[in-house]
Amino acid sequence: MNNEEKICSIIEQAEEVLQPYYKKNKDIAYQNFKKVMTAFTNHSVTESDFSGTTGYGYDDVGRDKLEEIYRDVFKAEDALVRTQIISGTHAISLVLLSLLKHGDELLYITGTPYDTLEKVIGTTEDDIGSLKEMGVEFNTVDLKDDQFDTKSILSSITEKTKMIGIQRSRGYSHRKSMNVGQIEAVIQTIKEKHPNIIVFVDNCYGEFAETREPLEAGADIMAGSLIKNPGGGIAKMGGYVAGREKLVERVSYRLTVPGVGKEMGASLNALTDMYQGFFMAPHTVMESINGALLMSYVFEKLNMKPSPRYTEERTDLIQSVSFNNEEEMITFTQMIQKASPVNARFMPIPDLIPGYQNPVIMAAGTFVQGASLELSADGPIRAPYTVYAQGGLHIEHVKYALEMSLTELSEKNMIEL
Ligand SMILES: *Cc1c(COP(=O)(O)O)cnc(C)c1O
């Protein structure tokens, strides 16, 4: 067999082995879709809901209705779903900056949070607008053997501890993602002793990966990005915060103005995409996860180290693969770019970007800038040369990109087929 035939055969074999996993994911997608559909029906979504507002954005019926739909699907008391939330980091920082005050402590129990939060938390008092500058203390408890370190968590909590932070997805780290069941167990343990602590979940990359979301597991508030899962690949911008009513109210005062909160904020012409995206999201998230399974299986067969393995339960989109060196990592990432529908002729190279500590290489030939529910791959250049791949609006794209990267990697003698 020549290389092309070998690659086809590996992928064909993978798809056969993965059938039972695909089937399970189809069931999850259907359950989630039913939740979304039920909310659309209960709120009688009509064409006029998409018309949007301008200026102050008073009486934006479509915007308010979409927030009620998010609220219902995510089992929240209230939700804020806005184009004015510019990113996942923004959604998360709204929660942190509005609910924590001078003298409070934020305790993250999934280790160091996502890189872009560093400036929000602040490392020195000179970090303008940070929690640090506000006088909020920050501490972390690392996972232990890929589990919440319950003993350490309980002994770390003091009277100052106002909020517990949980990052569901691993982000750019080697730890495991924490599934909703694990999150539920740790929240129960914490709340038994400390019923008043606010539990916040960074839900980025997690929405619709399982049939339950963190609020159903006892979290008080959660946040995410609309250019990831819940935007379904269609929303052009935005973020959401969902949770307890009183908390979401505070967050809304931080987003807009005290006393105004959710009442204002024009949606212009963004609502159609936001609605359609949420409608698509349960399906698209599973396409993306199925693509991740395909990558995981294939790279394992080629003696690379994928994480999670294809056999592991999923709670987010992230698929990492660790390569042997920088060159392999860069080659793979460049091929993801080359296999993109947009900007395929650009060649990504590692570079320093704000918010990240190491040079990062990023492949993202996406329709929506930075949208990582679309196929993208990135990673900070540091041993063990791990690329974090995520997204794929449909599995055909992931398969295509995989074929292209395996071809290039084998031509450069970086893998043996
Ligand atoms: C993507 C992500 C963020 C930040 O979202 P941006 O939209 O990139 O600002 C935060 N936490 C996790 C776990 C993420 O995956």
Side-chain angles (χ1 to χ4, degrees), residues 87-90 92 114 116 167 169 171 202 204-205 225 228 356:
S87 66
T89 306
H90 188 198
I92 295 161
Y114 198 77
T116 57
Q167 187 181 301
S169 173
D202 170 357
C204 283
Y205 284 138
S225 163
K228 292 180 178 172
Y356 296 87

Side-chain angles (χ1 to χ4, degrees), residues 360-401:
V360 176
I361 184 159
M362 296 187 143
T366 56
F367 292 97
V368 174
Q369 187 192 98
S372 42
L373 182 59
E374 298 184 50
L375 181 60
S376 46
D378 32 56
I381 307 283
R382 59 188 180 212
Y385 309 107
T386 303
V387 177
Y388 298 82
Q390 63 274 314
L393 295 180
H394 46 64
I395 195 164
E396 288 77 17
H397 183 205
V398 179
K399 189 166 152 179
Y400 177 83

